[in-house]
Amino acid sequence: MAETGTGLECIVKLGGSAVTDKNTLETPRLDAIRAAADIISQVRGRYIVVHGAGSFGHFQAREHGVVWGYRDKETAAEVQTVKLGFCRTRQSVTKLLHLITEEFVGRGIPAVGVSPLSSWVTDDASVVKADTDNIRDMLLEGFVPVMHGDAVLDRRRGCTILSGDTIIKHLCGVFHPPRVVFLTDVAGIYDRPPEQPAGAQLIPEIQVDQDGKLHVSIATSSQAHDVTGGIALKLKSAVDIVTESNGRTCVMVCGIQSGTAVRACVEGQLPKGTGTIVQLNMCKHPDEVT
Ligand code: ADP
Ligand code: IPE
C-alpha cells in the first residue's frame, strides 16, 4: 500500500480487558481510562488510539450471534434478532467510545472518535474496504483519531464483528508506524495464561521469523463471551504486523497502569522484563540500542 507520509509515530491499543471489567456488563475501569489519558497527553508526535470493547459489546455480540451475521438465517425473526444484536453491540461500544473521548478531551487531547462502521466493510470477516483518508487528514490536522473494535457490515454474512486488533493490523499496512503498543490488564504475553496457578512466566521478547514462525511456545486462553479470540488474536495480529512490515514496525505489549506503558508509548522504550516486545528475528531489543 502507498506510503501516506503522515509520520505516524505509534498506534496504541487500549485493550477491552484493560479499560473495562470484562466480566461485568458495561463496567468501565475509570482509573485505567484516566491512566490512558495521562499517557496520551504526554505524547508529542502523531498517534492513533484504538480501543477494544470489553464488557461494552462482547456480551451483546455473543448473545445475538453478531459475528456470524444474518445472511444464512432461515426466518425473518432470526434475521431481526441478529440485526437488533448488531444495533445493541454498537450502542454499547459507542458508549465506551464516548467515555474515553470525554476523558481525553477533558485532559486537553484533541481526540476524535471514528467508528469503523461508517467506512469499513468486511467479506467473511476479512477487511475489503477501509477508508483511511479521513484518518490521514485528521492526523495531518493534529487530531488524535480514536477508533474501536466495532460491529460492521459484511458482504457474505450481512454483518460481523471487527476487532480493534485487526483494525490496527490494517492501519499499519497504510501508515507504517515504527511501533504499536498494546496496553492490557496484564504485564505482557506469558508462556501460559497468567491466571493459571502453575506460575506463568512473562516473555520479555518474542522473535518472529519472516514466515511467522515463533521462537517460543505460548499457551493462551480466552473468556467464554469474548467474540474476537482474546490474546491469541492479539498475538497473531502482532506477528502479522512485524512480518508484513519486514520488521519496520515492532509491537510492544504491557500493562496499562504501569510506568512501562508511558515509556513504551511516549519514548518507544520497553525496559527488559517489564513487558513483551514482538519483533522480527534479527532486530535488537530497543533497550539494547544506544
Ligand atoms: P484486550 O481485551 O486487552 O485486548 P484480551 O482480553 O484479548 O485483551 O487478552 C488479555 C487477557 O488474555 C488477559 O486478561 C489474560 O488473562 C489473558 N491471557 C490468556 N493467555 C494469556 C497469555 N499467554 N499471555 C497473556 N495473557 C493471556
Ligand atoms: C471487539 O473489539 C469489538 C466488539 C465486540 C464490538 P476488540 O476485539 O478489539 O475488543 P477487546 O479488546 O477484545 O475487548
Side-chain angles (χ1 to χ4, degrees), residues 15-147:
S17 304
V19 291
T20 77
D21 173 351
K22 211 164 175 173
N23 292 314
T24 315
L25 183 67
E26 297 196 343
T27 309
R29 283 195 202 276
L30 296 174
D31 51 344
I33 295 174
R34 286 187 195 121
D38 196 45
I39 294 166
I40 302 300
S41 69
Q42 294 179 52
V43 303
R44 290 293 164 258
R46 295 190 170 121
Y47 278 64
I48 299 174
V49 175
V50 179
H51 70 78
S55 55
F56 291 77
H58 280 284
F59 285 109
Q60 295 88 345
R62 165 72 66 190
E63 188 183 340
H64 302 281
V66 179
V67 169
W68 303 109
Y70 47 79
R71 208 74 92 200
D72 291 342
K73 298 293 175 198
E74 282 169 10
T75 67
E78 286 175 317
V79 169
Q80 186 69 351
T81 299
V82 179
K83 285 187 174 171
L84 288 176
F86 176 87
C87 300
R88 292 201 175 103
T89 304
R90 294 219 74 250
Q91 279 180 324
S92 192
V93 74
T94 51
K95 268 187 221 170
L96 182 60
L97 173 68
H98 185 83
L99 281 174
I100 291 173
T101 51
E102 196 169 41
E103 190 64 40
F104 278 25
V105 174
R107 290 294 297 269
I109 301 162
V112 261
V114 184
S115 285
L117 171 66
S118 55
S119 58
W120 290 51
V121 174
T122 57
D123 188 356
D124 220 6
S126 295
V127 175
V128 288
K129 180 172 169 258
D131 181 6
T132 47
D133 287 352
N134 60 345
I135 301 289
R136 187 195 57 223
D137 292 346
M138 285 175 209
L139 288 171
L140 293 175
E141 291 297 330
F143 290 100
V144 177
V146 181
M147 299 189 73

Side-chain angles (χ1 to χ4, degrees), residues 6 9 16 27 43 55 58 87 96 98 114 121 130 134 157 160 183 201 215 225 227 231 241 269 284 288:
T6 54
E9 192 161 317
T27 309
V43 303
S55 55
H58 280 284
C87 300
L96 182 60
H98 185 83
V114 184
V121 174
N134 60 345
R157 305 178 188 182
T160 194
L183 299 178
Q201 299 292 318
H215 287 242
H225 58 274
V227 296
I231 196 89
I241 288 166
Q269 300 278 324
K284 276 196 168 300
E288 294 164 12

Side-chain angles (χ1 to χ4, degrees), residues 204-219:
E205 210 167 312
I206 298 176
Q207 299 283 345
V208 183
D209 287 344
Q210 188 60 64
D211 62 5
K213 186 172 161 285
L214 302 187
H215 287 242
V216 278
S217 111
I218 301 167

